[in-house]
Amino acid sequence: MVRVGPYTLLSVVDASGVLATTGSQAFPSATDADWEAARRLDPQAFGPDGRWALDFRCVAIRRPNGRVTLVDVGIGGEGSPAGWAPLPGRLVEALGEVGIGVGDVDTLVLTHLHEDHCGGVVDGAGRPVFDDARHVVQAVEVAAVRGDPTIWGYAVEPLLGAGLLDEVDGSVELSTGIAVFPTPGHTVGHQSVVVAAGDDEVVVTGDVLVHAVQLANPDVAYRSEADHAMAADTRRRLLMAARSGRAKLATAHLHTPFVTP
């Protein structure tokens, strides 16, 4: 848990697991020195036989009025398209354990529309789980998945049908002290969230960096990034800004929920 002025940020674990993919397969450009630095930063990321061990985290931001802004919804249940991830996710239960009910969430930011970040948007019957929440996504991200038969039908159509999808363009203040801003590269419409009050600031990064090796060296590319050069540039800029302002980062897949870069 981290406090930023009147806001309380809680990083909740939707799931944890070890992928079949090894670190060297996912990040082929990383050097031995990069891996040594990553192991110091997040030793739990190194599973058996070099496989990638990771958490799947969502961040709840409790505002002064008691309402909650939630960032990402994890991998979802057994019917989720995130079949490569450790199904099922347990986001609703994890939120309940920290005193947050589904009805407390009135704003939901989807950093991007990869299945491990939007898989929990609907229940087993295909109905939006957070049915009282504005779901904020960059318009360019929505446009990019229009031709994707899985993600469009699974996540976007139910939100459109329920009138819950809020497509935004660029940086937008969601409420006092909480804003989204574009961080493209991992996907074309990837966005992150900044929570600021006075001199305190936390950036919820989504998948700007997915492994500690990219925290150690932001130039290391992840094979599933849409645009490697853009993703690296975004990482460098975000890390430089965070370091100059002494901001913390709330990451999605590291085992430490809040890190100071």
Side-chain angles (χ1 to χ4, degrees):
M1 181 182 74
V2 167
R3 294 190 186 277
V4 177
Y7 310 104
T8 301
L9 285 77
L10 301 112
S11 179
V12 297
V13 178
D14 177 54
S16 298
V18 180
L19 304 186
T21 305
T22 66
S24 60
Q25 290 170 335
F27 308 93
S29 67
T31 66
D32 288 344
D34 294 333
W35 287 121
E36 288 176 12
R39 193 177 288 275
R40 289 194 296 271
L41 291 167
D42 190 11
Q44 293 175 272
F46 297 82
D49 303 317
R51 292 186 295 152
W52 181 10
L54 70 166
D55 283 345
F56 294 79
R57 293 179 175 272
C58 307
V59 176
I61 306 162
R62 186 178 278 124
R63 308 196 307 272
N65 63 0
R67 301 288 267 165
V68 172
T69 299
L70 180 64
V71 185
D72 287 331
V73 289
I75 61 179
E78 295 292 352
S80 167
W84 53 270
L87 294 170
R90 58 181 308 273
L91 175 61
V92 172
E93 291 83 356
L95 288 172
E97 289 166 3
V98 294
I100 296 173
V102 167
D104 296 327
V105 178
D106 65 358
T107 306
L108 200 161
V109 176
L110 295 172
T111 59
H112 61 298
L113 293 174
H114 279 170
E115 55 267 36
D116 60 318
H117 290 255
C118 70
V121 79
V122 294
D123 61 20
R127 298 173 302 223
V129 172
F130 298 90
D131 58 3
D132 190 35
R134 160 195 187 194
H135 290 60
V136 181
V137 191
Q138 290 289 323
V140 66
E141 182 79 355
V142 176
V145 300
R146 188 173 294 276
D148 185 323
T150 301
I151 293 298
W152 185 266
Y154 181 86
V156 179
E157 282 188 336
L159 296 179
L160 283 171
L164 298 176
L165 186 65
D166 184 4
E167 297 181 54
V168 299
D169 184 12
S171 299
V172 175
E173 187 177 63
L174 304 180
S175 59
T176 302
I178 304 174
V180 297
F181 64 102
T183 47
H186 183 77
T187 64
V188 65
H190 191 284
Q191 63 183 349
S192 298
V193 179
V194 60
V195 183
D199 294 331
D200 294 333
E201 182 174 295
V202 172
V203 179
V204 187
T205 61
D207 276 359
V208 171
L209 58 94
V210 298
H211 191 290
V213 75
Q214 294 182 305
L215 184 60
N217 180 358
D219 289 333
V220 171
Y222 172 41
R223 71 177 189 182
S224 294
E225 291 165 345
D227 186 320
H228 296 318
M230 183 180 290
D233 183 63
T234 292
R235 266 191 302 279
R236 285 193 298 269
R237 291 173 181 270
L238 188 147
L239 289 171
M240 186 180 303
R243 286 164 179 158
S244 65
R246 298 184 179 178
K248 289 184 171 64
L249 305 181
T251 65
H253 297 301
L254 274 63
H255 292 85
T256 301
F258 299 97
V259 298
T260 301

